[in-house]
Amino acid sequence: MGLALQNTFILGVGAQKSGSTWVHHYLKNSPHFNPGLMKEYHIWDALFIESCKKYLVKNIEEQTFKGVKLTPEEIERKKDVIALRFHVQSDSLPYEQYFASLMNGEFNLTGDITPSYAGLQAETYQLIKKRLESVGFKVKVVFLMRDPVERCLSASRMQNRINQKVSVAENLAALYSSKRYSLRTNYHHTILELDRVFEPQDIYYGIFEEMFTEVNIEKFSKFCGVPYNFSWGSEKINSGNDHISIDSELRKEISDFYSEVYAYCNERFPQTELLWRGCPPGS
């Protein structure tokens, strides 16, 4: 009789609008992956990141859905999500025990893909790792990065679908330097914190602009321990219309603001110097 495979936990830490939803759907294509109730659990960001406190569920009974256009089934699912977040955030249902309960003979892979975890500190990553390892998980991290200007533009476009009172460009100009945006775009900060906790072989650093090639789908699949499926190279999840143009002055303003990110990534991931057209001249 062969040895049982160790259960694997994929900790997805972003970046937002850089392929994390694609990752979730790709992993769901594997018969051995059980994500549980949701993609983004919002446990550790709600507890440890001030700007993410909106995800903290303080009281289940206070949650209402008045004025929200949802089917009865969608409301029940929302209630289940809120209840689960409440119990895991309060530790009445320990994070590691919840995910361990998803594993059985059929499933040996699960994960929490919450892009705002990019803003966590090394101490929190260490806590997550220790707790998951205590129930037998091998913890692997996935962090995907996208041209900072394009990431901010895509985030602004997503917000514009919710609130169309201002244009995408106006929204982008107002928010690109905000805590909300910088938390999710300062990739070098995330990388430095992750490198303090995880071994290099347990971190997948990917570049959005090249992730859909067969070479990188194979590399990602091997890292996660799932079968390759090259047909997913043409699958674009939540892509919308990302081809909205912004004037060169605003583009330069944003790329200058994130010049440290470009410089760090150009050195560590040289392909970004060609792939990221938002790079400031000479970066």
Side-chain angles (χ1 to χ4, degrees):
M1 182 181 293
L3 294 175
L5 291 174
Q6 182 179 16
N7 293 331
T8 300
F9 187 95
I10 302 298
L11 182 66
V13 300
Q16 182 199 53
K17 306 309 296 178
S18 300
S20 64
T21 301
W22 182 93
V23 165
H24 176 70
H25 284 276
Y26 185 77
L27 292 176
K28 281 180 68 177
N29 191 56
S30 167
H32 303 296
F33 179 69
N34 184 358
L37 195 57
M38 64 195 102
K39 167 191 173 243
E40 301 182 20
Y41 281 82
H42 288 293
I43 306 301
W44 306 103
D45 53 345
L47 294 172
F48 291 102
I49 300 175
E50 191 61 37
S51 61
C52 295
K53 293 295 184 185
K54 66 180 180 179
Y55 298 115
L56 192 61
V57 181
K58 297 179 180 178
N59 191 321
I60 300 176
E61 304 304 322
E62 292 179 358
Q63 304 297 321
T64 61
F65 302 95
K66 292 180 180 178
V68 181
K69 294 182 179 179
L70 296 173
T71 65
E73 292 78 13
E74 289 171 332
I75 289 176
E76 287 306 309
R77 177 175 170 76
K78 285 278 189 183
K79 287 180 178 179
D80 289 342
V81 166
I82 289 168
L84 179 59
R85 280 191 180 139
F86 173 79
H87 290 298
V88 178
Q89 288 170 354
S90 65
D91 214 27
S92 59
L93 172 59
Y95 185 77
E96 64 276 17
Q97 293 295 341
Y98 167 72
F99 285 103
S101 73
L102 303 176
M103 302 293 94
N104 55 34
E106 181 182 357
F107 303 114
N108 58 31
L109 180 66
T110 187
D112 177 0
I113 303 173
T114 303
S116 45
Y117 287 175
L120 296 173
Q121 300 297 305
E123 292 74 18
T124 307
Y125 289 135
Q126 183 63 58
L127 174 64
I128 298 169
K129 180 174 181 286
K130 182 178 179 180
R131 289 181 57 162
L132 289 166
E133 287 177 342
S134 74
V135 293
F137 279 113
K138 172 67 176 178
V139 184
K140 293 189 169 188
V141 177
V142 172
F143 183 50
L144 306 177
M145 293 155 279
R146 183 178 188 174
D147 182 331
V149 172
E150 297 302 323
R151 195 217 72 77
C152 291
L153 176 56
S154 184
S156 183
R157 182 189 59 78
M158 177 179 68
Q159 290 174 303
N160 181 256
R161 291 204 303 267
I162 300 169
N163 178 11
Q164 299 182 355
K165 292 181 180 179
V166 295
S167 70
V168 172
E170 289 172 326
N171 191 57
L172 178 62
L175 292 176
Y176 76 81
S177 61
S178 67
K179 182 67 176 177
R180 178 178 180 178
Y181 274 47
S182 60
L183 175 83
R184 295 162 173 80
T185 316
N186 281 324
Y187 308 145
H188 55 315
H189 292 168
T190 303
I191 292 170
L192 292 172
E193 297 301 306
L194 289 172
D195 284 350
R196 290 175 56 193
V197 176
F198 297 93
E199 295 297 323
Q201 66 270 21
D202 294 329
I203 309 176
Y204 184 89
Y205 289 127
I207 305 301
F208 172 83
E209 287 80 2
E210 64 178 9
M211 69 179 290
F212 303 111
T213 64
E214 287 193 6
V215 169
N216 285 304
I217 289 175
E218 180 177 353
K219 181 181 175 184
F220 175 76
S221 301
K222 284 182 176 178
F223 176 82
C224 295
V226 298
Y228 320 152
N229 190 336
F230 297 138
S231 67
W232 278 72
S234 60
E235 292 287 337
K236 299 296 172 66
I237 313 294
N238 288 348
S239 60
N241 176 21
D242 270 353
H243 302 293
I244 296 171
S245 61
I246 56 173
D247 65 62
S248 57
E249 187 175 335
L250 178 56
R251 179 174 290 276
K252 183 178 185 308
E253 187 178 317
I254 300 169
S255 59
D256 284 348
F257 183 80
Y258 290 108
S259 60
E260 192 174 343
V261 181
Y262 283 108
Y264 180 90
C265 290
N266 287 176
E267 182 174 350
R268 182 148 180 178
F269 312 105
Q271 67 269 40
T272 61
E273 196 159 7
L274 295 174
L275 293 172
W276 289 0
R277 64 192 182 95
C279 296
S283 65

